[in-house]
Amino acid sequence: MTRKLLLRALAGETLPIPPIWMMRQAGRYLPEYRATREKAGDFLSLCYTPELAAEVTLQPIRRFGFDAAILFADILLVPQALGADLWFVTGEGPRLSTVTTSSDFDRLKPVDAIHETLAPVYETVRILSRALPSETTLIGFAGAPWTVATYMIAGRGTPDQGPAHTLKDEDRPLFEALLDRITEATVLYLSAQIEAGAEVVKLFDSWAGSLKGRDFDAYCVAPAARIVAALKDRHPGIPVIAFPREAGPRYEGFAKETGADCVALDNSVDARWAAKHVQTDGCVQGNLAPGHMVTGGKPLIEATRAICRAFAGGPHIFNLGHGITPDADADNVRLMIDTVRAGNWT
Ligand code: CP3
């Protein structure tokens, strides 16, 4: 059997055409997603109903033939599995019960209890590993500890992660205990996804950019390195993609510091800089601004080609720099894929 393209790129191979998938590829910009979500009732029911979660995971594969499918779930299922209340407010986003005191922390469940809540997610992975085309790679994922902690501490998304920074600065032992709990839960969660059939796992540190200096080392790099080491120990050969979004200059060296096989780049990174300073350590992924999926046209084609050209000399997975937005047009996704797969990007 010829090896799947995504796994070849992750193993460090330079391919003539990069494999391609898209963050949030199963999402509200697709009418078939909206129909299945309607059927499920609400977003969390969709996440916890394996047949429906598998269905929405497969929809973008059927429609576009992406090289990878990403498990449909959410990074906030881990806090819920640790005992936090979680709900989504339509048009606003997630809400959680907060962890800001030791008594809040003491009410959290021990890490091995997470599987009770997360078992349906593993079932989704099992369904997908049977249902996916043989050339499509299945990616599992979790939020990185810092990003998950920012939601657990604030009880919602925050523009500057203020409440998490406050807890870090005012009660560092409690903050670090929380990060440790999430780190351990994440290892168990990703291991279980791999045992169920995930072939690659990705760690989303969406708010890495607000950690500076030693905080970046202690709360972004160190937990990612711990998770990667534990996974490599339990499941040798399973590649890990790390996404320290908005890490800026700290993208340089990130793969070496954490042991990740691939670093995902947000769209603020200069691709030619990243080719020289990040891709030299292994595979890179991402970088196309998601706004092109709304606006399309010649700028989309040019930006797509520029990324393909910049990364043509090394291992590369084509992707956006962040998730596709609900107002995106599926025709623009098709145009991006065709542009990548046509090659000849001059
Ligand atoms: O990428 C995929 O297609 C796989 C599924 C996936 C979702 N969320 C589904 C989802 C993945 C990998 C995530 C990751 C996630 N979730 C992150 C990290 C990546 C990032 O975007 O920075 C974060 C921070 C979350 C937390 C989260 N989930 C927020 C803040 C929101 C609300 C904002 C929004 O887009 O509505 C969600 C909801 C969510 N997660 C949706 C989807 C498809 C939309 C829910 C809906 O259908 O109403």
Side-chain angles (χ1 to χ4, degrees):
M1 199 188 92
T2 42
R3 213 159 166 227
K4 300 180 184 187
L5 287 177
L6 198 96
L7 297 176
R8 289 171 61 186
L10 288 168
E13 206 178 315
T14 304
L15 297 164
I17 305 284
I20 178 169
W21 68 281
M22 200 172 63
M23 278 188 269
R24 289 275 171 100
Q25 62 192 22
R28 288 160 290 183
Y29 74 104
L30 290 179
E32 58 269 37
Y33 171 86
R34 296 196 298 269
T36 311
R37 182 157 164 339
E38 187 95 0
K39 204 156 101 188
D42 61 279
F43 174 66
L44 285 173
S45 306
L46 181 53
C47 292
Y48 287 119
T49 309
E51 295 71 26
L52 297 182
E55 167 58 22
V56 294
T57 307
L58 291 166
Q59 286 167 349
I61 307 305
R62 288 191 205 113
R63 189 191 262 258
F64 299 115
F66 284 118
D67 293 288
I70 183 160
L71 162 70
F72 190 85
D74 197 84
I75 67 163
L76 300 178
L77 304 188
V78 166
Q80 189 176 35
L82 284 170
D85 295 327
L86 171 69
W87 67 104
F88 281 81
V89 181
T90 313
E92 288 187 38
R95 294 289 183 276
L96 300 90
S97 51
T98 59
V99 180
T100 56
T101 64
S102 334
S103 53
D104 296 335
F105 180 76
D106 292 341
R107 277 195 296 273
L108 293 177
K109 294 182 191 171
V111 287
D112 34 3
I114 62 167
H115 302 308
E116 276 163 43
T117 303
L118 298 170
V121 177
Y122 313 146
E123 181 56 22
T124 306
V125 175
R126 280 190 288 271
I127 296 173
L128 286 167
S129 60
R130 292 191 296 266
L132 280 168
S134 60
E135 67 275 16
T136 315
T137 304
L138 178 56
I139 304 174
F141 74 92
W146 160 250
T147 288
V148 172
T150 65
Y151 288 94
M152 291 182 80
I153 295 164
R156 59 194 298 159
T158 44
D160 58 357
Q161 297 73 60
H165 284 288
T166 303
L167 186 69
K168 161 172 72 64
D169 297 334
E170 290 179 358
D171 192 346
R172 211 165 274 265
L174 176 60
F175 172 78
E176 293 188 347
L178 178 61
L179 231 64
D180 277 348
R181 181 72 60 93
I182 301 167
T183 303
E184 287 159 22
T186 304
V187 170
L188 298 185
Y189 181 45
L190 291 175
S191 283
Q193 291 182 29
I194 293 166
E195 279 151 25
E199 302 170 277
V200 174
V201 292
K202 179 167 174 183
L203 206 50
F204 285 87
D205 213 347
S206 304
W207 300 118
S210 79
L211 291 170
K212 303 295 174 203
R214 279 193 299 189
D215 280 350
F216 187 89
D217 290 308
Y219 308 128
C220 175
V221 175
R226 255 180 85 187
I227 292 165
V228 174
L231 293 175
K232 297 278 175 192
D233 187 43
R234 289 165 179 237
H235 308 283
I238 297 292
V240 181
I241 304 172
F243 182 33
R245 193 168 73 87
E246 304 283 343
R250 295 301 310 262
Y251 268 116
E252 184 165 7
F254 199 80
K256 277 204 175 119
E257 287 165 3
T258 59
D261 302 86
C262 175
V263 174
L265 305 165
D266 63 72
N267 41 278
S268 71
V269 178
D270 179 77
R272 283 168 306 178
W273 175 86
K276 277 199 211 103
H277 297 270
V278 185
Q279 201 182 22
T280 40
D281 291 338
C283 189
V284 292
Q285 173 188 273
N287 195 230
L288 183 69
H292 286 297
M293 299 301 107
V294 181
T295 51
K298 221 170 154 218
L300 182 163
I301 296 172
E302 281 169 4
T304 299
R305 286 180 175 158
I307 289 170
C308 290
R309 281 198 306 273
F311 295 129
H316 174 216
I317 297 166
F318 197 91
N319 203 316
L320 306 180
H322 201 191
I324 187 168
T325 51
D327 56 343
D329 184 338
D331 288 343
N332 293 331
V333 176
R334 172 51 62 201
L335 180 59
M336 167 185 75
I337 296 170
D338 290 347
T339 305
V340 172
R341 291 191 173 153
N344 198 4
W345 308 299
T346 43

